[in-house]
Amino acid sequence: MPKICLLLIVLLFYSCQKNKEDQYFDAIENNDVKLMPPTEGEWLYSHKEKGQSFDNFLKSKHAVPKKDANIIYIKPIGNFTALQTKQTELIRQYLEIYFQLKTEVLPASPNTIIPKHARRIGYENQEQFLAGYILDSVLKKEKPSNKIVLMGLTEIDLYPKPEWNFVFGLASYTQKVGVSSIYRLNDENLTNANFNLCLSRLLKICSHEIGHMFGLHHCIEVNCVMNGTNGLSETDTKQIRLCSVCQRKLNSSIKYDNKKRLIALEKYFQDNNLEEELKLMKSDLERIQ
């Protein structure tokens, strides 16, 4: 009899927890903003993606934190200014809250680690690095302790293949490595005046690319940080918020407290004077009160 009672208690606890999670996602779904039909020049106009349902995500192979694989690492590559270094620390803080996993910055490497055959001069006469080379020949060689994912961060522009002009970032689902560039996010020159705008863009790009490493595909239904974008103007129209479905996917892999995460994100945006981002978190918090 005692064993049966214990089993019933465990099952009841599991049911209550699951119901609590369902209530959270059902509540914040009211804040999801449906995407309008894409227009020429936008990502979904030229990329006919199928999207990824929650059930399809569960069936896919994706990163799940384990005792020996639970730290997110950032690898700076290049010659960062004092303001860019400050943003690197702020992105570390943000990712630690966003994914609810310990996040560390590795020692920076110079641009000289990228050989000539993985560089080119872009259409704007700017230097560019081949993103795939950084994934395969730089980041995969890094073996930091307890790594779950590793993201490189460059101050040089990136391109994914010869026929593409540029790419904000690139990630490998299978290898759990990715790279993002701050080049196009800085409005040519990062200053105190544009610091917050550029930080907001960086937070979007980095959380997007690491989201891919955790198995999230592009979101095609709702304005979401996992939307694909064709350029900076389109990135600026996308919310920093994960939609309810993408949040459910992430939370199914990383078993964090959704309300605790939301409160921490609210505080981060408040502390860093990111007003539009703060409004989104407050709106979600109002839904779950």
Side-chain angles (χ1 to χ4, degrees), residues 144-205:
S145 176
N146 288 6
K147 179 201 76 149
I148 185 168
V149 298
L150 169 62
M151 185 190 70
L153 193 63
T154 74
E155 42 93 10
I156 298 293
D157 202 21
L158 299 172
Y159 72 101
K161 47 187 176 180
E163 57 268 33
W164 280 51
N165 290 333
F166 74 94
V167 68
F168 287 124
L170 189 68
S172 168
Y173 289 14
T174 57
Q175 299 298 320
K176 307 301 182 291
V177 293
V179 61
S180 296
S181 169
I182 64 176
Y183 176 83
R184 292 179 179 272
L185 312 180
N186 286 347
D187 287 341
E188 296 186 0
N189 184 33
L190 181 62
T191 65
N192 287 317
N194 67 9
F195 188 88
N196 281 8
L197 172 61
C198 300
L199 175 61
S200 177
R201 293 166 173 170
L202 181 60
L203 300 180
K204 289 179 183 180
I205 297 299

